[in-house]
Amino acid sequence: MTRYVALLRGINVNGITVAMADLADTFHELGYTDVKTVLASGNVLFSIDSPLVDTPPINRVDAAALKSRIEAALTARFEYEAWIVLVDAESLDRIVRAYPFNADHDGWHSYVMFSSDPGHLSELAGHAKELDASDERIELGHGVLYWEVRKAVGIKSAFSKKSAKLKYRDTTTTRNLHTLHKLLEVTPG
């Protein structure tokens, strides 16, 4: 059994309203088990009992096929163009433990940006030297981009404006470290 987290992008904002019970039902209808939603920002934990693809020498889930299947179901059910980033629970744990900044930095927000396109993360990481370190910092991690920003600056920060560009919309989503810890708390193992 493999445990996954689907991080949905753009729900319960801008007129796209998705009830968490309906979201969980969609994952159950797809045949996934142990489905749990965490917060109303589109975080779904679920398990797959058997692999979708047999690839010698081991069985493994084809993550791209899994992502496409979930996005299609969400688009059909909730009538919006769904985008998700898919992370296995084991990787999520490693990502959170590797947070390179002080997660308890008073007056700062701690974030992790996920992407289904690693090239976009690399491109965004290229802006690190342009940022005012007294307001925010970013660092490329393994499959993610870590970001800390002063609360007083928030979404007005230079990096926030760069990462909000339309070209990143369907491949990236950001979660605060607190949310990721909540996800790990309800993930067995």
Side-chain angles (χ1 to χ4, degrees):
M1 179 180 311
T2 305
R3 190 82 169 138
Y4 283 95
V5 180
L7 303 170
L8 283 68
R9 166 114 167 115
I11 68 162
N12 296 332
V13 293
N14 300 325
I16 299 170
T17 303
V18 176
M20 293 302 99
D22 294 338
L23 182 58
D25 286 346
T26 303
F27 278 74
H28 282 294
E29 289 166 7
L30 288 168
Y32 308 135
T33 59
D34 197 22
V35 176
K36 292 181 174 79
T37 61
V38 177
L39 304 174
S41 55
N43 308 291
V44 184
L45 294 151
F46 64 100
S47 297
I48 298 177
D49 293 323
S50 60
L52 296 176
V53 176
D54 292 331
T55 306
I58 60 169
N59 292 333
R60 65 174 178 84
V61 171
D62 180 338
L66 179 58
K67 177 183 179 313
S68 294
R69 183 173 190 242
I70 293 168
E71 287 172 339
L74 294 172
T75 296
R77 172 115 185 223
F78 301 109
E79 299 178 345
Y80 81 105
E81 189 174 358
W83 301 298
I84 69 165
V85 175
L86 196 61
V87 183
D88 66 84
E90 187 177 306
S91 294
L92 181 62
D93 182 58
R94 281 192 307 271
I95 288 165
V96 169
R97 284 188 283 114
Y99 190 77
F101 308 120
N102 177 0
D104 299 319
H105 198 172
D106 191 38
W108 290 68
H109 288 295
S110 303
Y111 293 110
V112 179
M113 178 179 281
F114 297 84
S115 182
S116 56
D117 182 341
H120 281 172
L121 292 178
S122 295
E123 187 176 304
L124 286 165
H127 296 291
K129 292 181 181 179
E130 302 166 18
L131 304 179
D132 181 348
S134 65
D135 284 335
E136 64 185 333
R137 296 185 297 168
I138 58 174
E139 185 173 310
L140 192 59
H142 184 70
V144 296
L145 187 64
Y146 296 105
W147 176 35
E148 77 166 356
V149 62
R150 277 190 322 114
K151 289 179 180 178
V153 177
I155 62 170
K156 296 176 185 168
S157 81
F159 182 72
S160 183
K161 291 174 184 173
K162 291 177 186 308
S163 64
K165 289 183 179 175
L166 187 60
K167 72 186 279 184
Y168 304 120
R169 184 182 68 177
D170 63 346
T171 64
T172 63
T173 190
T174 303
R175 295 296 188 275
N176 67 45
L177 210 53
H178 179 72
T179 297
L180 299 177
H181 280 289
K182 282 187 178 281
L183 288 166
L184 291 172
E185 287 171 10
V186 297
T187 301

